[in-house]
Amino acid sequence: MTRYIFVTGGVVSGLGKGVITASIGKILKSRGFSVTAIKIDPYLNYDAGTLRPTEHGEVWVTEDGGEIDQDLGHYERFLDITLSRDHNITSGKIYYSVIEKERRGRYLGQTVQPIPHVTDEIKSWIYRVSKKSACDFTLVEIGGVVGDYENILFLEAARQMRMENPGRVLFVHVAYVPILRSLGEMKTKPVQHSVKELRTIGIQPDFIVARSEGELDDVRRAKISLFTNVEERDIFSAPDLEVVYELPLIFEKMGFGDRILEKFGLKSVKKDLSEWERFVDVLKNSDRVVVVGIVGKYFRTGKYNLPDAYISVIEAVKHAAASLGFRPRFQYINSVDIEDNPKLLDLLADVDCVIIPGGFGATGVEGKMMAIRYARENKIPILGLCYGFQLMVVEFSRNVVGLKGAHTTEVDRNTPHPVITILPEQMKLLRESRYGGTMRLGAHKVIIKEGTLAHKVYGRTEIYERFRHRYEVNPDYVDLLERSGFIFSGMSEDGIKQLGELRQDIHPFFMGSQFHPEFTSRPLKPNPLFRALIEHAVQDG
Ligand code: GLN
């Protein structure tokens, strides 16, 4: 019988609840239990596909083509599982389904209300996904902060679930414990208040995770316990970490796993985190460092620079580097800034390899192509992902093949050389303004050409990777490009070019993929493309 662990947030958002949820799952999994995880996002968007990356971070793509909050990435990475689009619940999805049912007469005669109709819809969604996943544990992370208007119905549904499943539901409340710089002291009052708020809606947490810059000490632990009715031994500290993958190890050391099982009345089966420990140790302590330049454009929000929009790319680099005994250091370069100040390209002289991640639209594309050109001419190993790959094709067409004004029609509809064009079926969708969830999405088969670098990298002729795009390499230009040394080394069954590389006598590692290899990288199973990039980076560096 499935057990449920709800994770709620207190005081502020952005505490890394996703990593905390994933870490709890990890310690349960290491004891031999099966675990799945659901993320609840209280916003009204149906999914994350149309959210601005600088505001919401990366859009994670599930194998079945869902465009989802990046927390699902943490779950898949930490737990080494594959989740579906249904593992993400938004208010949009819930209301959509309730209103559809109302129109179809499913509630005939009734007044349709937030409670019970919306809460019932939430519960049945959680039960349905749990049943399908058939795991020992379903973790449910409720986004936002307790006290927000928008997540109240989700909390209410969770409260009801505890009643419906006696002894099989626990609540973990993650709250921020600030350290006031002027006092040099850790203050517990905000946690006390957020637990009070939770209790007014009928939820008494079983555990508290105190998120803070530093470690929670015994004095504060006792104080939080006194005010929240949570035993001291059930209050855990989650300090800022340099390597987030360390959190399961910290939780394990503090006995979090044992306490969860005790509360559920379960016995522990086994405990094996040794490989994970080695992985964390390399990332924390290796003295071999590889410098990875990421040339993107979704860094800036207001006055702050955040690499959040590229989180899976960054994590995939960590997995690949660690598997080779290296610790990565990142150099983030904003391609928009390169356009204004080409001298910034000099930063690339000090990196061991470059990644051009995915993206949309015209902003910063010229800067990205300047970086691609630099890497190509200076033989710096480079990996282009999706838009990055397409821009490699454009750059090569312009500067090597000599096709003046070559471009993607995403940016220049009237280019004389449309080397990247819209996929035929996508044209229709855009004309009808059907934007949500309509890209070419999810996992598709890629057939790899034998004898190519890609074949050497993957060691196979058939792979599955995840996609999210509307444009493709224009088949009319393939021959011309190949004559100049560009090799299309992977394609889909219907002929879309999915992988491209330069002949190795021209460049040691110049590779691009139409897919996003970052979504299938796991801490202990790095994606071959990232691994190959790092291998070349440390060889040539
Ligand atoms: N904008 C490009 C396309 O739609 C690339 C998308 C991406 O990088 N995910 O094809």
Side-chain angles (χ1 to χ4, degrees):
M1 274 228 272
T2 303
R3 283 153 174 93
Y4 301 90
I5 300 176
F6 285 94
V7 180
T8 57
V11 187
V12 290
S13 63
L15 290 176
K17 277 206 302 288
V19 168
I20 290 169
T21 306
S23 299
I24 293 171
K26 179 79 193 164
I27 52 181
L28 292 169
K29 200 168 173 195
S30 74
R31 287 148 195 265
F33 294 103
S34 55
V35 180
T36 191
I38 295 173
K39 171 74 195 291
I40 291 176
D41 285 306
Y43 48 70
L44 279 170
N45 303 61
Y46 190 85
D47 59 33
T50 51
L51 296 178
R52 190 179 303 126
T54 42
E55 191 172 304
H56 192 73
E58 168 192 271
V59 175
W60 175 262
V61 179
T62 54
E63 190 179 83
D64 65 350
E67 297 176 285
I68 308 291
D69 183 89
Q70 55 171 292
D71 279 328
L72 256 82
H74 294 308
Y75 307 161
E76 289 205 12
R77 283 189 287 269
F78 275 69
L79 302 172
D80 191 14
I81 51 176
T82 301
L83 298 171
S84 75
R85 63 173 78 213
D86 285 350
H87 285 80
N88 182 230
I89 307 178
T90 62
S91 293
K93 286 184 183 175
I94 296 293
Y95 290 139
Y96 195 85
S97 145
V98 168
I99 290 169
E100 238 193 354
K101 281 186 185 162
E102 188 272 336
R103 291 289 82 184
R104 280 190 282 118
R106 289 274 293 277
Y107 308 115
L108 226 49
Q110 300 175 41
T111 306
V112 182
Q113 293 181 299
I115 303 172
H117 300 95
V118 173
T119 43
D120 280 355
E121 188 65 35
I122 296 168
K123 285 189 294 176
S124 72
W125 194 303
I126 296 173
Y127 286 135
R128 177 168 51 85
V129 172
S130 271
K131 198 167 164 212
K132 220 167 146 194
S133 311
C135 286
D136 300 319
F137 291 96
T138 296
L139 307 182
V140 186
E141 178 190 345
I142 303 183
V145 171
V146 172
D148 291 347
Y149 282 118
E150 52 177 22
N151 60 18
I152 192 90
L153 291 172
F154 292 104
L155 292 166
E156 169 60 15
R159 183 194 69 79
Q160 293 176 17
M161 277 184 65
R162 161 117 85 181
M163 206 164 54
E164 289 169 10
N165 303 277
R168 290 196 291 122
V169 176
L170 289 178
F171 282 87
V172 177
H173 186 58
V174 181
Y176 182 51
V177 186
I179 299 173
L180 296 192
R181 206 156 277 165
S182 53
L183 297 177
E185 194 194 332
M186 191 178 251
K187 304 298 276 182
T188 64
K189 191 70 76 188
V191 185
Q192 297 172 28
H193 276 290
S194 78
V195 173
K196 197 168 142 203
E197 189 77 38
L198 201 53
R199 295 216 308 250
T200 60
I201 47 181
I203 297 172
Q204 166 64 46
D206 302 279
F207 297 101
I208 289 177
V209 174
R211 261 298 280 126
S212 187
E213 249 174 79
E215 290 265 357
L216 185 74
D217 63 2
D218 289 343
V219 180
R220 272 86 197 171
R221 180 173 278 112
K223 204 161 179 187
I224 294 175
S225 171
L226 181 67
F227 282 93
T228 60
N229 269 350
V230 176
E231 281 184 64
E232 282 182 43
R233 61 178 172 159
D234 292 331
I235 300 173
F236 297 93
S237 170
D240 286 352
L241 295 174
E242 209 182 307
V243 175
V244 292
Y245 298 108
E246 196 183 356
L247 193 59
L249 303 175
I250 294 179
F251 279 169
E252 189 55 64
K253 230 195 292 158
M254 293 190 292
F256 203 170
D258 293 334
R259 285 298 291 152
I260 292 175
L261 295 189
E262 256 175 73
K263 290 207 184 217
F264 279 130
L266 292 170
K267 288 249 167 325
S268 177
V269 191
K270 64 176 183 195
K271 229 188 284 187
D272 182 24
L273 284 165
S274 51
E275 261 191 278
W276 195 268
E277 275 163 15
R278 271 197 297 278
F279 162 69
V280 171
D281 182 53
V282 173
L283 286 182
K284 273 182 79 178
N285 303 317
S286 179
D287 47 18
R288 293 193 288 170
V289 175
V290 56
V291 185
V292 181
I294 298 189
V295 183
K297 65 167 178 177
Y298 299 129
F299 291 120
R300 203 172 283 146
T301 30
K303 279 192 191 149
Y304 298 90
N305 261 325
L306 305 168
D308 225 31
Y310 303 117
I311 178 145
S312 294
V313 174
I314 293 165
E315 298 309 314
V317 168
K318 291 180 191 167
H319 309 157
S323 75
L324 295 163
F326 281 79
R327 187 160 55 86
R329 189 161 66 69
F330 294 94
Q331 173 73 263
Y332 302 117
I333 307 172
N334 194 324
S335 61
V336 181
D337 296 343
I338 298 180
E339 291 171 8
D340 296 338
N341 177 14
K343 271 199 85 59
L344 279 176
L345 286 174
D346 292 347
L347 288 171
L348 294 179
D350 298 325
V351 304
D352 297 312
C353 63
V354 184
I355 296 176
I356 314 286
F360 296 86
T363 322
V365 294
E366 293 302 327
K368 284 184 184 171
M369 283 192 276
M370 287 157 82
I372 292 168
R373 180 174 199 166
Y374 187 99
R376 183 173 55 73
E377 291 179 346
N378 292 287
K379 300 203 188 325
I380 301 170
I382 177 167
L383 179 62
L385 309 174
C386 202
Y387 210 16
F389 163 57
Q390 296 172 356
L391 295 175
M392 279 172 146
V393 172
V394 175
E395 189 279 329
F396 188 81
S397 306
R398 284 184 189 175
N399 301 326
V400 179
V401 187
L403 302 176
K404 249 180 112 186
H407 221 318
T408 161
T409 55
E410 179 172 354
V411 179
D412 180 3
R413 263 192 225 175
N414 304 316
T415 164
H417 296 292
V419 289
I420 305 291
T421 46
I422 193 152
L423 286 157
E425 73 271 17
Q426 290 291 329
M427 180 96 94
K428 195 163 164 275
L429 293 165
L430 289 192
R431 272 208 201 110
E432 294 164 4
S433 293
R434 286 170 54 201
Y435 285 102
T438 57
M439 283 188 235
R440 181 167 179 266
L441 288 166
H444 292 274
K445 192 201 279 183
V446 178
I447 302 158
I448 300 181
K449 215 190 256 173
E450 281 185 56
T452 59
L453 179 57
H455 184 231
K456 215 186 311 166
V457 166
Y458 275 98
R460 274 181 293 159
T461 51
E462 225 182 86
I463 55 165
Y464 283 84
E465 290 282 9
R466 298 186 197 173
F467 291 79
R468 181 173 187 246
H469 66 125
R470 294 192 198 276
Y471 293 79
E472 64 164 333
V473 174
N474 186 343
D476 296 344
Y477 285 88
V478 166
D479 281 346
L480 191 59
L481 280 137
E482 290 207 319
R483 261 181 265 133
S484 301
F486 207 100
I487 301 169
F488 290 99
S489 42
M491 56 177 141
S492 67
E493 277 170 314
D494 52 3
I496 305 173
K497 301 295 179 219
Q498 321 265 262
L499 273 163
E501 60 193 52
L502 280 189
R503 264 199 346 246
Q504 273 197 289
D505 57 319
I506 304 178
H507 191 290
F509 191 89
F510 185 95
M511 174 87 87
S513 66
Q514 185 55 75
F515 51 81
H516 291 273
E518 64 269 29
F519 296 137
T520 50
S521 178
R522 302 285 179 264
L524 305 178
K525 287 183 218 154
N527 180 286
L529 274 186
F530 283 94
R531 200 181 139 100
L533 173 75
I534 303 299
E535 255 166 6
H536 281 85
V538 298
Q539 255 169 39
D540 303 318

